Amino acid sequence: MDKTILAEMSWKEAENRMKQARAVIVPLGSLEQHGYHMSLQTDNIVGEYVAGVLAKRTGCVVLPVLPYGQVWSAKDFPGTISLRERTFIEVVKDIVTSLEHKGARNVILFASHWGNTAPAKIAARELLDESGYTNVYYLSYMDLKKHGKGIMETELWNGSGFHAAEIETSIVLHIRPESVDMEKTVCEYPQVPGDVNIRPVPWITFCESGIFGDAAKATAEKGRRFLENWIEDLVQLIEANIL
């Protein structure tokens, strides 16, 4: 039995491990479109993998991925499921409260979907204000420019957009290649709506495929190298700040 996966333990084993472990990691994923070439569960695949590696390397335990997230931007694509931000925050708070009541030393909210980053931070703030929990941490999504330096070949859409393109596809090619159909990859850099930064603009109104960038440039080797950079950064953050 893997001593880092809480769901595989009996309740008695879980009770002991939660109290011993540095932290309980809660991966926050989504069911969201990722172009024509990757599955709806892409963020869950990445979240499960990265959280599992972090647990092993830092003495933590990990919960199953929360498979639904805040996905407003892509919610109109078939198959995408989006929780309202307040719903998502309350679910996360309930999970953390359950862990706190059972003696978890620390809780790490790990967002493997960009849309979960801000509401996870709000949840941690509210848990501090309402319950005095000072031991709830949030690890945000990847820093694409930092972790992709020397790896990424393609340009970002609108300076930051990369959804389902070169790097994200490369990560899944390394983790679970059978979940990627490279024959269906496309390159799409949709025209940037003039008001995209000043009002809500659903992606489906200006993006045909659902991706931002060139997925055809993805390779498993790029994914491996990117993951090494990203995970090493997260390990250092945990070891330096969560005792």
Side-chain angles (χ1 to χ4, degrees):
M1 182 179 66
D2 191 330
K3 293 297 185 180
T4 64
I5 302 177
L6 207 67
E8 293 183 357
M9 302 176 194
S10 70
W11 72 265
K12 198 63 179 177
E13 291 166 332
E15 177 183 44
N16 294 330
R17 284 293 293 130
M18 280 195 293
K19 293 176 180 177
Q20 297 165 356
R22 182 194 297 266
V24 179
I25 302 175
V26 185
L28 305 174
S30 74
L31 200 69
E32 177 192 19
Q33 70 82 17
H34 279 77
Y36 306 138
H37 64 294
M38 288 198 294
S39 72
L40 295 166
Q41 65 171 341
T42 291
D43 290 335
N44 298 331
I45 292 170
V46 176
E48 179 182 55
Y49 177 85
V50 175
V53 174
L54 290 176
K56 287 181 172 66
R57 290 189 56 182
T58 61
C60 295
V61 293
V62 61
L63 285 184
V65 178
L66 182 64
Y68 306 110
Q70 186 283 113
V71 197
W72 186 90
S73 295
K75 65 181 175 60
D76 297 310
F77 285 86
T80 296
I81 304 297
S82 182
L83 300 181
R84 287 174 294 177
E85 186 167 83
R86 176 44 53 185
T87 300
F88 178 79
I89 290 169
E90 293 301 331
V91 169
V92 170
K93 287 168 66 178
D94 283 352
I95 292 171
V96 173
T97 299
S98 293
L99 294 170
E100 295 279 357
H101 287 174
K102 302 304 181 293
R105 287 169 54 189
N106 298 290
V107 179
I108 299 172
L109 305 175
F110 171 58
S112 58
H113 162 66
W114 176 250
N116 293 340
T117 303
K121 184 175 182 179
I122 292 170
R125 286 178 170 178
E126 291 184 2
L127 286 161
L128 175 60
D129 290 343
E130 296 166 5
S131 302
Y133 295 152
T134 60
N135 60 341
V136 182
Y137 300 82
Y138 43 87
L139 296 182
S140 64
Y141 200 50
M142 63 186 73
D143 184 331
L144 195 70
K145 293 179 180 179
K146 176 182 178 182
H147 302 133
K149 187 175 182 180
I151 301 172
M152 188 168 59
E153 297 181 72
T154 58
E155 295 294 323
L156 296 173
W157 175 80
N158 195 29
S160 61
F162 64 92
H163 185 74
E166 178 190 8
I167 291 299
E168 198 164 22
T169 302
S170 294
I171 289 171
V172 181
L173 278 173
H174 175 67
I175 295 172
R176 196 181 295 180
E178 65 272 19
S179 293
V180 183
D181 186 345
M182 290 300 291
E183 293 184 359
K184 294 180 180 178
T185 59
V186 299
C187 174
E188 183 176 2
Y189 285 88
Q191 183 175 350
V192 181
D195 56 354
V196 72
N197 294 320
I198 60 173
R199 78 174 180 92
V201 183
W203 286 357
I204 204 166
T205 62
F206 63 88
C207 182
E208 181 179 346
S209 67
I211 80 166
F212 300 119
D214 189 354
K217 294 293 194 297
T219 68
E221 175 61 15
K222 288 179 182 177
R224 182 192 66 78
R225 292 169 60 198
F226 186 93
L227 280 167
E228 284 183 357
N229 293 342
W230 183 21
I231 290 172
E232 185 59 37
D233 205 17
L234 293 173
V235 167
Q236 291 181 17
L237 275 173
I238 291 171
E239 291 186 338
N241 297 285
I242 305 176
L243 304 177

